[in-house]
Amino acid sequence: GGEDNTMRLWDVATGREVRTFSGHAYGVESVAFSPDGRMALSGSGGGYERGKPTTLMLWDMATGRELRAFSGDLHGVDCVAFSPDGNLALSGGISQTLPRGAHMNLWDVTTGRELRAFRGHTSTVSSVAFSPDGKLAFSGSYDKTLRLWDVATGRELRTFSGGGGRAQRVALSPDGNLLLSGNADKTLQLRDFTRPARYREFDALLPKAREALQKNENDAEGLKTFGEWYAFRGVNGWAVDFLKRAQAGGAEVSAPTLARCFWQLAEDEREPAEKRPVYRAS
């Protein structure tokens, strides 16, 4: 998408321009392929500043034909995303009814009907993404927050701090466990949504490991469980101690986990003593 108001399709292997899509009144800010590659969405900006309507458009990739224009509370569309099944679309940007406010909308791709508005962001929504199952949506905004939404109800489930700057872009890993966000303060943040599940997993494993170690302080599997627990929590010195003892006792210890602990210990040693983490037994 470009400031010349067009969207263009390119052959990646040759660099050849295959097709130009024309129809937007302003620069194209965002584009997305449908999951099957047969359609594309594009959103344009500039409507806020010029006082003219801005559109979200759906295109046939084979012919370049405009299939549909979506209209709603849109002044500038900064981001678009297809649902995994291709039936729904998300858009985010600047609101028409809330000057310099935020819009995040859910659309029916087949009919072009707006299904829902997500309310909560207080500034431009700059990035949106669906979870792999299509039930959740993530958004990043110039209000310096990331938000998690229930797609079916539009309810905000959680707000995350975007760090020191406004959240520019969000991307979800294919399995839905990791969220990567890029911020205006030149940082990337990675969030791991498996951690609560791992805590629950350890809640079940630790009592058995503790019981085993009370009977035999050199129980290899018990040592391994506690070593993995401390590694998970970032208590790297204790993690190395437990994992090395477990390994000596015959337990199969993850080499990457052990290597990461050694690496993080080396990083800790580079910190001034007053900044190093202090651990308490638990």
Side-chain angles (χ1 to χ4, degrees), residues 113-129:
R113 185 168 62 93
E114 181 183 330
L115 301 176
R116 184 165 297 110
F118 299 78
R119 303 299 185 196
H121 282 298
T122 58
S123 188
T124 302
V125 177
S126 52
S127 190
V128 289

Side-chain angles (χ1 to χ4, degrees), residues 132-211:
D133 61 8
K135 295 180 179 179
L136 302 173
F138 293 87
S139 59
S141 170
Y142 287 5
D143 65 10
K144 301 183 182 181
T145 69
L146 306 172
R147 300 186 189 228
L148 174 65
W149 309 85
D150 183 287
V151 171
T153 64
R155 185 167 63 93
E156 181 185 320
L157 301 177
R158 188 163 179 183
T159 299
F160 306 89
S161 168
R166 61 194 189 189
Q168 300 282 75
R169 292 291 179 264
V170 296
L172 205 61
S173 63
D175 61 9
N177 290 330
L178 300 173
L179 179 69
L180 189 65
S181 62
N183 305 316
D185 64 355
K186 303 179 183 178
T187 64
L188 285 170
Q189 292 183 326
L190 185 65
R191 288 172 170 80
D192 184 354
F193 293 103
T194 65
R195 290 188 70 81
R198 288 286 284 156
Y199 270 109
R200 289 192 294 272
E201 182 183 332
F202 278 117
D203 281 343
L205 294 174
L206 288 171
K208 297 175 184 177
R210 188 176 290 109
E211 184 179 343

Side-chain angles (χ1 to χ4, degrees), residues 104-118:
M104 179 177 169
N105 300 77
L106 182 71
W107 307 87
D108 183 308
V109 172
T110 303
T111 65
R113 185 168 62 93
E114 181 183 330
L115 301 176
R116 184 165 297 110
F118 299 78

